[in-house]
Every structure is written in structure tokens, then in C-alpha cells.
Amino acid sequence: MSQQILDSVKSKYGAVAESALSNDHAGVRAVAEAFGYTAGELTSIPAAANMGLSCGNPTATAHLKPGEVVVDLGSGGGLDVFLAAKMVGPEGRAIGIDMTTAMIERARANAQAGGYTNVEFYQSTIDKIPLPDASVDCVISNCVLNLAPDKPAVFREIARVLKPGGRVAVSDIALKRELPEAVAQSMAAYVGCIAGAIRFEDYRAGLLAAGFEHVGIVDSGVDLNAYAKVENQAGCCSPAMNRAGAVDSFPTSGESCCTPNPNAAPSLHENLTQLLSQYDLNTAVASVKVYAIKPS
């Protein structure tokens, strides 16, 4: 089951990474701004780093300082890595970890296009972080820990790579109550960051069991229906992103390219929009800010 989950997550997020979704689309910007990014932050980084996948803004609560080493788990196109890179400065490092090949390729292309010299990206699952013990000042993540099949292993890995006194500043999805059975058993809901979420109390207990202290989990109060704003943004009429991370022109063929393909699998955002239209998930699910400290 864990391998099936990982394969599904890789497939869906790989498709997002290969799509034209970017900050140049109004729906993608609207999602990011709904979950806490400012317009200035979004325009300060490569447009292709934002694909409308956030459920918060961990760099806003991480209190990053110049010279620090920060790791982003599930770094996607590099949105939070690039914001963190500015905060830690040339003497610091911002490191992204992602298991999806297409995401790593997109993030590295974005880094090259943006001229970043203090960022690194590694392909790996987040339950086996490819970094030494006690080498990181802060771990951030954005709507990814809920996707991990073995969350206790992820919490232990975070504790391992953090220096004594290091901190966790994560944006994620958590459950306020049990999900409807149809949602809880849905692979689309799992890949969409819903069905893999755990309850507030289980999240707190998992971090405490991994050795953390001062654990806090705060409901951000954001309406999850914000994800529906990306619907139809990933169609073939969206501008395509080339390998350098730039946006190419719209297709100009005389025949419309936006005729729905009945054989195409629903996109990640289409699946989310369908779930949100069928269930009032805000009653059971919350976007949360997660904090924790590794004892010094």
C-alpha cells in the first residue's frame, strides 16, 4: 500500500511539474496568496517555482537568519527554497528535497534561471533525508508531510538532521475530525493532501515521540476552497514552460487546442476541485502551522 501511494504521488506531482502551471496564471497566484504569500514574494522568485500547491507559507514563520542552513521537505519547483535563500543570504544554504524527478529538474532549471548560488536540490523521499546528522538549523515543508506513508519515520529524520536547538516550521494539512469514508478511502484524496492527513493530537504526539519539545499546531483558518481557483489553468492553452524556465508563447494553430480529452486522467487540481465540490472539507480538515524545537 505504501508503494502504491508513493507511485500515485510521483505520477500526479510529476504531471504538475511537467505542466505549464506557474505564477503567470491568475489562479495559481490566487492560491498562493490565499495561503499567505505576498505579491512581492511571488514576483521575487522564478514564476515557474509556484504551481499552486501550497497550504501555507512556512518561510513567514521560520524566522530564518543570515548564515543558517534550511531544508525544505518536498520542495517542488523551489518556491520556499528560493524565498529561504534570500533570508539566509550568501553565507547560508537553502536545500530542497523532493522524490519526483520532474520536480527536481524543474527546481534546478529555476535555480539556474534565477542565478541562485546558495541553493541545492536532492532527489529522495523525506523519510530518508540525504544529509548528515545535526547539520541543519531549520526544517520547513509546505503541504507535504501529510503525503508521507510513514510519518513517524519522517519525524525521526527531521530530528536527526536538525542541530540541537534547531526548529521545525511546517505548513501542512491536519484533521479536526474523521473524514467521510468515501474521502478517507480515496487515492485522489490522498494525493490531494487530504486523506493522508492525521489528527491534530496525533501530529503533536508524533513530534513529541520523535524527541521534540514546545510543539505547537495552529489552525490557520484558511478556506481550502482556494484550491478550486487553479481549475482549468493547466489546459493545453496555458503557455508552455521551456527547459530554461521561461514561458513560451501561446499555440497559434487554427484549431482549438482546448477540446477536452475524454481519455485523459483528471489532473491533481481537478481532483481537488471535485472533492471540494462534493464535501465541505473545511469542517474536517485544516491548513495548519506546525512548530517544534529539538532540545539543546
Side-chain angles (χ1 to χ4, degrees):
M1 185 62 181
S2 294
Q3 190 58 50
Q4 181 186 358
I5 289 170
L6 288 174
D7 289 344
S8 295
V9 171
K10 283 182 180 180
S11 175
K12 282 294 185 183
Y13 285 89
V16 174
E18 293 170 349
S19 77
L21 285 173
S22 79
N23 202 58
D24 292 322
H25 299 102
V28 172
R29 287 196 306 276
V31 169
E33 290 176 0
F35 286 110
Y37 293 94
T38 66
E41 286 175 320
L42 295 174
T43 56
S44 73
I45 60 172
N50 176 25
M51 291 165 278
L53 300 175
S54 304
C55 64
N57 178 1
T59 60
T61 57
H63 304 291
L64 297 173
K65 305 177 185 66
E68 288 191 320
V69 177
V70 57
V71 172
D72 181 16
L73 302 184
S75 48
L79 167 60
D80 295 312
V81 170
F82 298 134
L83 290 176
K86 296 177 183 293
M87 298 176 181
V88 301
E91 300 302 316
R93 282 193 303 154
I95 302 169
I97 308 293
D98 202 285
M99 72 173 181
T100 307
T101 302
M103 282 294 188
I104 291 292
E105 291 175 349
R106 182 165 176 153
R108 288 174 176 165
N110 289 334
Q112 183 175 6
Y116 292 88
T117 59
N118 62 339
V119 304
E120 304 166 29
F121 293 96
Y122 298 103
Q123 186 171 356
S124 174
T125 57
I126 60 175
D127 59 350
K128 296 178 181 178
I129 303 172
L131 296 173
D133 295 357
S135 61
V136 174
D137 296 290
C138 183
V139 171
I140 62 175
S141 186
N142 197 341
C143 217
V144 171
L145 270 60
N146 65 80
L147 293 170
D150 189 350
K151 293 172 181 59
V154 174
F155 296 151
R156 291 192 297 270
E157 274 292 271
I158 294 173
R160 179 186 66 79
V161 300
L162 278 172
K163 300 174 183 176
R167 61 201 184 278
V168 174
V170 164
S171 296
D172 206 5
I173 298 293
L175 300 183
K176 295 183 280 190
R177 63 177 179 81
E178 294 302 319
L179 291 167
E181 186 67 15
V183 178
Q185 298 301 320
S186 166
M187 184 60 74
Y190 195 106
V191 175
C193 300
I194 304 298
I198 56 178
R199 296 186 67 131
F200 277 62
E201 55 266 33
D202 295 330
Y203 215 129
R204 183 177 293 105
L207 287 168
L208 291 171
F212 288 99
E213 60 186 14
H214 306 298
V215 176
I217 302 174
V218 180
D219 186 343
S220 68
V222 178
D223 183 358
L224 296 181
N225 286 295
Y227 288 120
K229 297 176 181 180
V230 187
E231 187 179 15
N232 298 324
Q233 291 290 321
C236 57
C237 284
S238 298
M241 187 186 75
N242 62 34
R243 296 293 294 177
V247 174
D248 293 330
S249 59
F250 284 90
T252 56
S253 62
E255 183 178 352
S256 173
C257 67
C258 288
T259 303
N261 179 359
N263 298 317
S267 72
L268 173 65
H269 288 99
E270 288 169 338
N271 281 334
L272 271 171
T273 300
Q274 185 177 15
L275 282 168
L276 290 164
S277 68
Q278 291 176 328
Y279 303 95
D280 183 11
L281 294 178
N282 285 297
T283 63
V285 182
S287 161
V288 295
K289 302 174 183 179
V290 180
Y291 311 90
I293 302 291
K294 180 176 178 177
S296 57

